[in-house]
Amino acid sequence: MKIKNICCIGAGYVGGPTMAVIAQKCPEINVTVVDINDKRIAAWNDDNVDNIPIYEPGLSRVVEEARGRNLFFSTDVEKAIDQADMIFISVNTPTKTYGIGKGMAADLKFIELCARQIARVATTDKIVVEKSTLPVRTAEALRNILDNTGNGVKYQILSNPEFLAEGTAVDDLMNPDRVLIGGDIDTTEGAEAVEALVDVYAHWIDRERILTTNVWSSELSKLTANAFLAQRVSSINSLSELCEKTGADVNEVAKAVGMDSRIGPKFLQSSVGFGGSCFQKDLLNLVYIAKSYGLNEVADYWEQVIIMNDHQKKRFAANIVKTLFNTVSGKKIGVLGWAFKKDTNDTRESAAIYVVDYLLNEQADVVVYDPKVNAEQVYADLDHLNTRSEAENRARVTVVNSAMDVTKDAHAVAVLTEWDEFKSLDWSLIYDDMLKPAFLFDGRRLLNRAEKEKIGFEFYAIGS
Ligand SMILES: NC(=O)c1ccc[n+]([C@@H]2O[C@H](COP(=O)([O-])OP(=O)(O)OC[C@H]3O[C@@H](n4cnc5c(N)ncnc54)[C@H](O)[C@@H]3O)[C@@H](O)[C@H]2O)c1
């Protein structure tokens, strides 16, 4: 079975970059990415390729090469579904905010809507690929919806979770550690569908790195991978607090521990806490699934990873208040960085949102700068928390276009995203511009303590 037309439902951080790379690497396959958000689709189609809606290093060049050739962005979801042999579902699967499982379970309403739309529109057999991160056994629900339409169309359902990390999405897609494809491998039709997707990836990835499993293993592996990654962050962050009390330095500890080949050096960077759209959502989902099977010890084990992360954000903010003589009321606090990590404009679940919310509760005046995040997004993130009125968020928070505007007359500056440009700021000038004592809080272990203390800063860094 050779795939000629791919449709991807959802033009977000996963659908957009993933399909751009497939289109670039498979010029003979037509790839159409569809979304109900017409503003997003218009941005993907912007004449100036640097205006595409997602910032990822290298992405605009990939889009530039393939767009209009075999990569298309459209709001005509039904047409793209009808024409495709293979349909990726790449829509968002946020944590439920209502009803049973509120605050824990994944909200699968967008997935279900896609399945119902496919069932309504399809006139030819389709391979449906779960690209979104889903609870284990979601494919069963999809199959139920798709197989009960009675129009004679046959479906194969595959699970192909995406492991890319934002900020390095293009590199991760070009050269993945592995590609995981789950399918109904015990049937001929299922094995053929798996093979068809393997063929797509085999255009640029060695077959040894393309794993095929049953659907449930594939679905659960993605949740497990994110749980393990988040757990490492919370593990090192838990020790950062102990380091601060004991005189140990968390970076030195991480280095010593990470040189053990059984542990490895990656993902041992202590910080103000993990963010992003996935880790917390997927952990909560894992906890919910474990609880729903009555596995309370399993659920508690993974829940602690989130508890630790919340604690880390809170204690960082609380330390700012404590250090500034127990009050930040009416004080200007400069915030460098709003994105959840460097090299992305994604702010979902960013630690910065929660740290600033805490400081606003303490009546601070906050000034924010992020190289890739605009004021509209900063206010939207704060409004979304519903902690105070939208008017108050705008009165207390100012968003500026340069790091130097953040630091002018500030009582304290906090580095909350590890953007490279913050390392090379003119920190002597910043010191001169700030009120004294000039407090500097490094939530990312980005800055050199000795240099900053020599300039005159009162310097605090996580884990030292
Ligand atoms: N962001 C990441 O780094 C990442 C990495 C791996 C996996 N994932 C998973 O991939 C999935 C998508 O994540 P994302 O970050 O791309 O989300 P996103 O919010 O950036 O994009 C999802 C898009 O789907 C669209 N959409 C929703 N319902 C639709 C419908 N019925 N028809 C057409 N379009 C619809 C939305 O408008 C949105 O643009 C999630 O399950 C996530 O957990 C994300």
Side-chain angles (χ1 to χ4, degrees):
M1 195 189 310
K2 278 269 170 275
I3 301 301
K4 294 196 190 73
N5 290 297
I6 286 177
C7 158
C8 174
I9 309 179
Y13 282 86
V14 167
T18 314
M19 292 302 128
V21 169
I22 289 183
Q24 190 205 35
K25 299 291 186 184
C26 310
E28 81 286 8
I29 301 178
N30 280 322
V31 180
T32 306
V33 191
V34 292
D35 205 294
I36 41 177
N37 180 340
D38 46 8
K39 234 172 106 189
R40 215 170 205 184
I41 290 296
W44 280 112
N45 283 324
D46 197 294
D47 287 341
N48 181 352
V49 81
D50 291 327
N51 290 339
I52 56 174
I54 283 159
Y55 174 72
E56 276 293 337
L59 180 61
S60 42
R61 298 286 80 81
V62 178
V63 171
E64 188 170 41
E65 185 185 327
R67 200 176 58 180
R69 179 189 72 186
N70 65 327
L71 175 65
F72 307 95
F73 295 94
S74 167
T75 50
D76 194 343
V77 182
E78 301 205 341
K79 184 174 163 208
I81 289 174
D82 192 33
Q83 290 179 343
D85 328 295
M86 183 176 267
I87 302 166
F88 286 80
I89 301 182
S90 197
V91 300
N92 35 332
T93 48
T95 305
K96 260 185 104 174
T97 54
Y98 55 88
I100 297 175
K102 177 179 173 181
M104 294 213 101
D107 190 345
L108 298 180
K109 73 177 171 203
F110 303 114
I111 297 285
E112 182 172 341
L113 281 171
C114 288
R116 290 189 184 280
Q117 194 169 21
I118 295 169
R120 200 174 60 244
V121 170
T123 52
T124 54
D125 296 352
K126 313 277 180 211
I127 298 171
V128 176
V129 186
E130 300 173 342
K131 184 52 112 176
S132 300
T133 303
L134 297 170
V136 55
R137 295 202 81 89
T138 302
E140 201 169 28
L142 284 182
R143 171 156 305 289
N144 237 323
I145 294 168
L146 293 170
D147 282 353
N148 281 301
T149 55
N151 61 1
V153 172
K154 289 206 187 67
Y155 296 98
Q156 280 300 323
I157 300 168
L158 304 181
S159 159
N160 172 221
E162 185 46 61
F163 293 101
L164 68 78
E166 287 178 30
T168 53
V170 174
D171 278 350
D172 295 343
L173 288 164
M174 297 281 186
N175 190 23
D177 289 338
R178 77 318 209 171
V179 167
L180 180 57
I181 301 173
D184 200 356
I185 37 183
D186 296 329
T187 66
T188 315
E189 298 83 356
E192 275 174 12
V194 168
E195 203 42 42
L197 184 52
V198 169
D199 274 348
V200 172
Y201 285 111
H203 278 72
W204 77 100
I205 297 160
D206 291 342
R207 279 179 187 258
E208 305 84 77
R209 277 192 290 155
I210 306 176
L211 293 184
T212 56
T213 64
N214 80 30
V215 182
W216 320 130
S217 304
S218 173
E219 288 177 337
L220 189 56
S221 296
K222 173 63 193 178
L223 290 183
T224 308
N226 274 355
F228 272 53
L229 290 168
Q231 180 200 40
R232 276 177 76 100
V233 177
S234 278
S235 294
I236 199 70
N237 279 346
S238 72
L239 288 155
S240 71
E241 193 172 13
L242 190 56
C243 286
E244 289 164 31
K245 298 284 181 219
T246 57
D249 183 303
V250 76
N251 278 5
E252 292 177 354
V253 173
K255 187 167 183 194
V257 168
M259 282 173 80
D260 185 325
S261 60
R262 294 167 301 176
I263 297 171
K266 291 185 182 166
F267 252 73
L268 284 180
Q269 174 67 49
S270 181
S271 70
V272 59
F274 60 74
S277 67
C278 294
F279 283 180
Q280 175 164 307
K281 154 178 92 69
D282 294 345
L283 272 165
L284 286 167
N285 190 210
L286 189 65
V287 170
Y288 183 74
I289 293 168
K291 276 193 178 148
S292 70
Y293 286 104
L295 309 179
N296 293 328
E297 290 77 6
V298 178
D300 291 350
Y301 178 78
W302 289 107
E303 190 163 20
Q304 193 59 35
V305 174
I306 304 172
I307 293 171
M308 192 64 234
N309 196 52
D310 288 341
H311 171 66
Q312 188 78 346
K313 293 182 272 192
K314 222 176 275 163
R315 79 175 186 90
F316 183 84
N319 184 47
I320 294 179
V321 177
K322 196 174 124 222
T323 310
L324 268 70
F325 317 110
N326 288 316
T327 177
V328 289
S329 179
K331 292 181 181 169
K332 177 177 167 180
I333 312 291
V335 165
L336 292 175
W338 193 262
F340 86 92
K341 66 196 281 205
K342 75 169 178 176
D343 291 340
T344 178
N345 60 349
D346 196 348
T347 64
R348 290 176 289 182
E349 291 301 327
S350 178
I353 302 170
Y354 296 93
V355 170
V356 167
D357 188 54
Y358 187 105
L359 295 174
L360 293 175
N361 282 344
E362 295 287 333
Q363 302 188 342
D365 291 320
V366 176
V367 184
V368 179
Y369 166 69
D370 186 288
K372 292 287 173 194
V373 181
N374 60 26
E376 195 188 346
Q377 187 61 50
V378 171
Y379 293 130
D381 291 335
L382 289 168
D383 293 345
H384 186 71
L385 296 180
N386 263 326
T387 316
R388 64 194 70 71
S389 71
E390 295 185 7
E392 202 182 335
N393 280 333
R394 279 146 192 80
R396 287 232 167 257
V397 180
T398 313
V399 183
V400 294
N401 292 323
S402 92
M404 298 316 274
D405 291 336
V406 157
T407 55
K408 180 116 191 78
D409 296 329
H411 290 256
V413 168
V415 176
L416 298 183
T417 311
E418 72 281 21
W419 287 101
D420 289 335
E421 73 171 64
F422 299 156
K423 278 192 269 193
S424 51
L425 295 173
D426 186 340
W427 284 99
S428 296
L429 196 59
I430 289 172
Y431 177 79
D432 292 343
D433 269 357
M434 286 175 65
L435 300 186
K436 308 295 176 315
F439 294 99
L440 178 53
F441 297 88
D442 184 356
R444 296 285 177 169
R445 293 298 298 250
L446 189 76
L447 307 173
N448 180 296
R449 171 183 289 278
E451 277 172 21
K452 300 301 169 282
E453 284 180 343
K454 196 165 161 224
I455 293 170
F457 285 105
E458 298 282 332
F459 188 77
Y460 166 84
I462 286 271
S464 74

